[in-house]
């Protein structure tokens, strides 16, 4: 393992995945890339919540969707990996819709020359996968890297 990439999301299992990937990367002496991909809808919903908090507390929120995604990745790194002796880089990407999420992950993995991808998958019945697809499934099928998934 030379350059692992861990993909964060809002699931309950994401902290566990980030921690495991961080520990493996630290043991291998590898720098860890932490990627958060947000859709435009997710960003708009979160920005609306943040705006309402700022109205109460004062302040200003002027981030773009990619900057917001990167700040989420940075928060995950500082919260979950601060006690490890590991080099990390937070990366944020924004996509127009959920269908573009897998492409964004694969693009970052290629751009960053990553050799492992860690991500959360969802348990689905075979017919559900065939009809709706799944980000993890798309990454697994289209990746040249090793893919490690943690299923919910």
């Amino acid at each position: 393992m030379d350059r692992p990439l861990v993909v964060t999301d809002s699931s309950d299992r994401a902290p566990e995945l980030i921690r495991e990937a961080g520990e493996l990367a630290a043991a291998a002496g590898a720098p860890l890339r932490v990627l958060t991909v947000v859709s435009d809808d997710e960003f708009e919903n979160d920005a609306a919540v943040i705006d309402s908090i700022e109205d109460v507390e004062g302040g200003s929120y002027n981030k773009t969707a990619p900057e917001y995604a990167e700040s989420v990745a940075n928060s995950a790194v500082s919260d979950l990996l601060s006690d490890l002796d590991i080099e990390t880089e937070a990366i944020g990407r924004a996509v127009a819709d959920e269908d573009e999420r897998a492409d964004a992950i694969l693009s970052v993995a290629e751009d960053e020359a990553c050799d492992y991808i860690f991500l959360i998958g969802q348990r689905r019945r075979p017919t559900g996968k065939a009809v709706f697809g799944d980000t993890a499934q798309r990454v697994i099928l289209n990746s040249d890297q090793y893919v490690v998934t943690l299923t919910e």
Side-chain angles (χ1 to χ4, degrees):
M1 177 181 317
D2 294 320
R3 293 179 63 88
L5 172 71
V6 63
V7 182
T8 66
D9 65 14
S10 59
S11 73
D12 294 339
R13 304 285 310 270
E16 179 184 354
L17 179 71
I18 295 165
R19 183 64 191 190
E20 288 296 323
E23 288 177 359
L24 289 170
L32 181 65
R33 307 299 180 256
V34 180
L35 170 66
T36 299
V37 180
V38 296
S39 68
D40 290 341
D41 288 341
E42 287 174 306
F43 174 67
E44 289 173 17
N45 289 340
D46 289 352
V49 170
I50 291 169
D51 284 343
S52 67
I53 292 170
E54 288 177 346
D55 288 343
V56 173
E57 295 180 355
S60 174
Y61 182 78
N62 294 322
K63 290 186 179 180
T64 64
E67 290 170 337
Y68 169 73
E70 186 174 324
S71 71
V72 171
N74 266 320
S75 293
V77 168
S78 63
D79 291 348
L80 299 167
L81 303 177
S82 61
D83 63 325
L84 296 177
D85 183 23
I86 183 173
E87 177 188 330
T88 60
E89 178 184 349
I91 303 168
R93 293 291 184 270
V95 294
D97 60 46
E98 292 297 319
D99 293 337
E100 297 175 12
R101 192 175 296 269
D103 292 335
I105 294 167
L106 293 169
S107 175
V108 168
E110 184 177 323
D111 293 347
E112 296 290 324
C114 296
D115 56 348
Y116 277 80
I117 301 172
F118 294 84
L119 56 92
I120 301 281
Q122 296 176 344
R123 290 190 197 271
R124 290 198 177 163
R125 294 187 175 140
T127 53
K129 286 182 183 176
V131 174
F132 300 111
D134 178 55
T135 298
Q137 179 185 25
R138 290 180 190 153
V139 170
I140 291 167
L141 293 175
N142 297 302
S143 177
D144 293 330
Q145 297 83 2
Y146 296 103
V147 180
V148 179
T149 60
L150 177 65
T151 54
E152 293 187 31

